Amino acid sequence: MSYIKRVLDIVIKKNPNEPEFLQAATEVLETLEPVFEEHPEYQKAGILERFVEPERQIIFRVPWIDDYGKVQVNRGYRVQFNSAIGPYKGGLRFHPSVYIGVIKFLAFEQILKNSLTGLSIGGAKGGSDFDPKGKSDNEVMKFCQSFMTELYRHVGADLDVPAGDIGVGAREIGYLYGQYKRIKNVYEGVLTGKGLSYGGSLMRTEATGYGLIYFVEEMLKSKNENFKNKKIVISGSGNVAIYAAKKAKEMGGIIIAMSDSNGYIHNEDGIDIDTVQQGKEIERKRIKECYLPNTSTKYADNCKDIWQLKCDIALPCAAENEIGENEAKALIKNGCIAVGEGANMPCTPKAIELFIKNNVLFGPAKAANAGGVATSALEMQQNSMRTSWTFEEVDNKLKNIMKNIYYKCSQASEKYGFKGNLLAGANIAGFLKVAEAMYAQGVV
Ligand code: NDP
């Protein structure tokens, strides 16, 4: 039995109730065979067995009192997966679906994503099963303060620097930061995605969505294509989706549909992104309330059906496994030429296989959505230097980072026998740097 198969068997045996983590680990490990052929010393050093085991997992109680005086209890998580190449870094997700398996898969992916950025950051992720939707600002603040009252022991500017993810935006980061500062009595860059008035970086809000478009632009160039007049479907209408939509439109694309977990809005001539942004970001409305009634935009009730629309480019920016075999087949049949993963693991392994087999350009999440964490690392640099760069400076750095990530993935895929498979390229390029650092640091 091959080394990789043996390690995968151990992972499956040890984590039987964590399907998301198993899916991510399988997808990565299955592409690493050529790395171990080239580096037999990594096998001797047990790199893979250590790579799939988190350095530390923290689970804690988060009690808080709601607006009616009732005690509520949520569960908090931080998985510090790998610090071989830098301090732990990765977002916090507040969503009812959060449990250890989701956080572990996200932290695992984060190791490779962070490595691909070329910056010195290790992989982590955290969150809670708390649902900010429908809660008052006061309740969100109480929850965030309680969450940080435990988390502060485990994070720090040179130790672990969380950021936002689903359900954690500027408001939540602000409350978390305030509580950290109050408890620790230090003013340091312990979180990224901060407001501009207290150490945030220009462009961080836009970074994941913009970065996704810069990455897809490079993919399109490889086929002498670009965004001009391309019909684009984007799932979600949160942070990633909104800024991907704005940048794609700026580059000449036509955003024909966007969604939330209830349904989607659709207009073949292009939906009005500013109305979506105002409704979602500022007024916290549902997508069905985010279009002007006197236009030809229509609302449909089932968010999954968005992938049945005919489009040139598909950008899943919402949830795990939202594009399965049927959705992939529909996209291919309708002539889609490129898929860029803005969300983490939005395409199932079967869907990815179909895209690659049918020559649909496929940008895997760990590469295509790395712009957010890359800009978070730029925020850390600015905090350490006690300076702030202009929007253009950060945007240019982000563009270069996304281009470099694309070329790293593309080159690794060719060198290791996976031409046309950027997912394999991303796994290998990301893994090589981490493995080298782990090997150099001995068995720890
Ligand atoms: P947000 O919370 O800002 O937005 C999430 C959006 O997805 C909401 O519009 C939500 O709708 C929608 N959604 C959730 N489930 C579904 C579904 N099943 N179908 C359609 N829409 C759905 O999160 P982000 O934009 O920050 O994150 C989105 C994805 O991008 C996640 O996978 C995240 O891990 C990933 N990501 C985010 C980064 C960042 O910088 N923010 C960085 C890298 C990756 P509703 O309001 O109904 O829940």
Side-chain angles (χ1 to χ4, degrees), residues 3 36 90 129 218 236 245 323 435:
Y3 175 46
F36 290 93
D129 55 2
E218 292 304 315
I323 299 186

Side-chain angles (χ1 to χ4, degrees), residues 93 133 165 167 204 208 237-240 260-261 286 303 318 344:
R93 177 177 289 192
K133 238 186 280 170
D165 190 78
R204 175 60 188 91
T208 308
S237 45
N239 174 263
V240 180
D260 62 19
S261 55
R286 308 305 299 153
C303 62
N344 284 309

Side-chain angles (χ1 to χ4, degrees), residues 183-199:
I183 297 174
K184 287 287 283 266
N185 203 24
V186 287
Y187 206 103
E188 59 173 2
V190 66
L191 291 159
T192 56
K194 299 187 291 298
L196 294 178
S197 56
Y198 63 97

Side-chain angles (χ1 to χ4, degrees), residues 138-169:
N138 182 53
E139 288 176 322
V140 171
M141 181 175 74
K142 294 244 186 75
F143 171 81
C144 288
Q145 289 176 341
S146 181
F147 186 84
M148 186 51 90
T149 301
E150 173 59 34
L151 190 70
Y152 89 94
R153 300 169 214 283
H154 312 290
V155 296
D158 296 315
L159 168 62
D160 184 354
V161 183
D165 190 78
I166 292 180
V168 179

Side-chain angles (χ1 to χ4, degrees), residues 93 95 106 110 113 125 133 164-168 204-205 207-208 235-241 259-263 280 285-286 303-304 317-320 322 342-345 369-370 372-373:
R93 177 177 289 192
H95 193 271
L106 290 164
Q110 198 80 41
K113 183 184 307 192
K125 200 85 185 188
K133 238 186 280 170
D165 190 78
I166 292 180
V168 179
R204 175 60 188 91
T205 310
T208 308
S235 65
S237 45
N239 174 263
V240 180
S259 61
D260 62 19
S261 55
N262 294 119
K280 288 304 243 178
K285 287 181 176 168
R286 308 305 299 153
C303 62
K304 262 222 146 183
C317 296
E320 282 95 69
E322 52 174 306
N344 284 309
M345 210 162 78
N369 73 21
V373 74

